[in-house]
Amino acid sequence: AVVSTQSGYYAGGPVLGPMVYGIAYCPVSRIPDIEALGVGDSKQLKESDRDEILGKMHENSDFVGYCVTVLSANYLSTSMLGRENYNLNAISHDTAISLLRNIIAKGVKVKDVYVDTVGPAEKYQAKLSALFPTLNITVASKADDKYPICGASSIFAKVCRDRCMKEWQFPEKGYDISDSGCGYPSDPKTKKWLMDNVDEVFGFPQFVRFSWSTAEKIIEKRSVPVSWDNEEEEEENIPKLNSFFKRVKKQTEIPRHRFYHEQGLTSSTEI
């Protein structure tokens, strides 16, 4: 089978809603049939066109299959703002690898893999080739424009995200998803929704990716400032908390008490 992984990730990803990663696969001999369905870069197609093509692919499920992974905005925020930063490139790579392993585990006999790059294509391809040495792997920029199977996975991922956006149910009260735009910070509707829905104490609901600089700047501007000063640490002779966790160099020799030096005593090697 020919396989493609597609992130639905561009320009840093969305600030509203989830990031959706998709993988599509089909027999090598059916690539022309995939192309005939009208697949392409999902971002360049109208929503109605994406829905129509998705319907066609469902009708032809005898030769095209897919799988998607949905990563919530809350998951992305907690991953990227944790003590150890788990950046967006690493998240994207790990998710794509997981999708590929998933279809292989389900019995898909993979031969060729095409991946839309996240980060430098050469490094990403070398990473995947090391993990899957028996596969022919191609990582390229704008792969959904170049390879029909990448266009298919792009549509699966984008339609899934569109539906997540439309059908999202807020666990928090008082929020309305309508008029939020596409969810990317370049959309004026999305920026307006963020400005209108920021809470001065709690910031944003879980639907918003706090780790996006767009959200951070709005919180800094519209919300109450918070200070985490610790006066005790500023007093003299009181060590800071993080000083207890610093690596201490091992001493090769324990210094002897001055009593031994004053009395001219030395260690005995034999009794």
Side-chain angles (χ1 to χ4, degrees):
V2 175
V3 176
S4 160
T5 62
Q6 174 68 28
S7 66
Y9 155 11
Y10 61 99
V15 66
L16 295 182
M19 287 187 66
V20 180
Y21 295 77
I23 190 166
Y25 52 92
C26 75
V28 176
S29 61
R30 303 303 293 269
I31 286 295
D33 297 319
I34 290 287
E35 190 170 9
L37 295 176
V39 300
D41 182 357
S42 63
K43 299 183 293 295
Q44 306 302 323
L45 297 172
K46 295 180 181 178
E47 183 177 347
S48 58
D49 293 334
R50 291 195 295 266
D51 289 340
E52 182 181 350
I53 295 170
L54 179 69
K56 291 179 180 178
M57 288 194 287
H58 279 159
E59 291 172 1
N60 291 277
S61 59
D62 58 318
F63 70 85
V64 59
Y66 73 98
C67 182
V68 297
T69 295
V70 180
L71 302 182
S72 69
N74 190 49
Y75 170 80
L76 295 170
S77 296
T78 54
S79 296
M80 299 179 70
L81 297 176
R83 180 172 295 178
E84 294 185 6
N85 179 30
Y86 186 23
N87 66 50
L88 207 56
N89 280 13
I91 292 172
S92 179
H93 290 185
D94 290 347
T95 306
I97 290 166
S98 178
L99 283 167
L100 185 52
R101 284 175 171 161
N102 183 39
I103 65 165
I104 291 173
K106 289 185 176 180
V108 178
K109 296 179 180 179
V110 180
K111 178 183 178 183
D112 301 315
V113 179
Y114 297 91
V115 183
D116 194 17
T117 192
V118 175
E122 297 80 6
K123 290 184 178 180
Y124 192 10
Q125 182 167 316
K127 179 179 181 179
L128 292 175
S129 296
L131 291 171
F132 304 97
T134 62
L135 305 182
N136 300 319
I137 297 176
T138 301
V139 178
S141 177
K142 298 182 179 179
D144 40 9
D145 275 337
K146 300 174 181 177
Y147 308 105
I149 193 66
C150 287
S153 61
S154 175
I155 289 171
F156 284 126
K158 189 68 174 70
V159 172
C160 182
R161 174 176 153 76
D162 289 343
R163 294 183 181 179
C164 287
M165 292 287 289
K166 282 184 178 181
E167 300 173 14
W168 177 261
Q169 299 294 317
F170 286 95
E172 309 91 347
K173 294 182 180 179
Y175 293 98
D176 183 6
I177 191 60
S178 61
D179 295 324
S180 62
C182 68
Y184 283 79
S186 58
D187 188 336
K189 286 186 176 181
T190 297
K191 285 185 177 179
K192 184 178 185 305
W193 191 95
L194 289 168
M195 297 291 284
D196 293 343
N197 287 277
V198 61
D199 185 276
E200 63 179 9
V201 176
F202 299 105
F204 293 110
Q206 296 179 34
F207 185 65
V208 178
R209 201 177 108 203
F210 281 71
S211 55
W212 234 117
S213 59
T214 305
E216 290 180 354
K217 290 177 181 178
I218 292 174
I219 289 176
E220 291 175 0
K221 184 178 180 180
R222 295 290 188 95
S223 298
V224 177
V226 178
S227 176
W228 300 96
D229 294 336
N230 188 338
E231 294 180 0
E232 291 184 357
E233 290 188 355
E234 296 177 0
E235 295 180 10
E236 294 183 2
N237 301 323
I238 297 180
K240 293 185 177 182
L241 181 61
N242 60 3
S243 67
F244 294 100
F245 300 96
K246 290 182 178 178
R247 187 184 297 276
V248 179
K249 293 183 179 179
K250 293 183 179 180
Q251 295 179 340
T252 56
E253 183 179 349
I254 300 175
R256 296 170 61 81
H257 192 276
R258 63 184 177 84
F259 170 80
Y260 295 95
H261 295 286
E262 292 173 355
Q263 301 301 319
L265 301 174
T266 59
S267 299
S268 175
T269 57
E270 293 182 5
I271 297 177

